[in-house]
Amino acid sequence: MDELVERVDCQDRVLGVVTRAQAVREGWLHRIASTVCRDERGRILVHRRSEQLSRFPGLYEVMVGGAVGVGESYEQAAGRELAEELGIRDLPRLLFTFINRSGLSPHWLGVHEAVVPDAVTRDPQEVAWCGWLTESELHSALLEWRFTPDSHEAFSRYLVFRAARS
């Protein structure tokens, strides 16, 4: 069965409950939570999606994430996704949200950050490979590897957000 999500408006207010497939098919706004994972040295965790996944199989991602379920907050969904995909039991910190139009369909993307241990336990059904990259290495990888459509915009906004805070 397809997961249930909340259809939301351009102010991120709930309009009703729909399936994620329906939200994507109809182009309805819904919520996605994602997390940039950093280690103590500031490296960023990059991963390649499993070939079995229906959305963007085999592509690389800068963030770990997924749909926000009915009644979940962005933070709760981000924490659930970290646990499912990488075995990390952490509640990441929400940094910002924006309407992302570069994925399969438009959605509100909640971008989080978490400092996580170097060793993660990836779920091979979700994550085929993961590794730590410096920001410089990641900039090169974004030019050379095939990333999910929203990775570029979300990571760019993340860097702008971090720069504004420092």
Side-chain angles (χ1 to χ4, degrees), residues 4-6 17-18 68-72:
L4 294 177
V5 297
E6 292 170 334
V17 175
V18 298
V68 176
V70 175
E72 268 187 318

Side-chain angles (χ1 to χ4, degrees), residues 70-128:
V70 175
E72 268 187 318
S73 68
Y74 283 105
E75 293 90 344
Q76 289 167 329
R80 176 179 46 76
E81 291 291 337
L82 279 177
E84 289 174 6
E85 295 182 23
L86 299 175
I88 297 169
R89 306 275 183 237
D90 189 15
L91 193 61
R93 184 171 52 92
L94 178 63
L95 303 178
F96 59 91
T97 61
F98 71 98
I99 295 179
N100 184 358
R101 300 191 185 280
S102 59
L104 287 175
S105 68
H107 56 272
W108 276 95
L109 184 63
V111 178
H112 301 74
E113 181 179 57
V115 176
V116 300
D118 284 350
V120 297
T121 307
R122 66 179 176 80
D123 175 356
Q125 298 297 313
E126 301 258 352
V127 178

Side-chain angles (χ1 to χ4, degrees), residues 122-156:
R122 66 179 176 80
D123 175 356
Q125 298 297 313
E126 301 258 352
V127 178
W129 169 89
C130 61
W132 294 98
L133 300 179
T134 65
E135 279 191 27
S136 175
E137 292 168 334
L138 180 51
H139 283 293
S140 295
L142 283 164
L143 297 173
E144 297 169 17
W145 302 354
R146 291 187 56 229
F147 279 82
T148 59
D150 56 353
S151 284
H152 292 274
E153 181 175 2
F155 187 63
S156 174

Side-chain angles (χ1 to χ4, degrees), residues 35-50:
T35 303
V36 175
C37 297
R38 294 174 99 56
D39 68 5
E40 292 291 335
R41 295 182 284 187
R43 296 179 304 171
I44 298 165
L45 185 69
V46 175
H47 72 278
R48 188 169 48 80
R49 295 171 60 83
S50 169

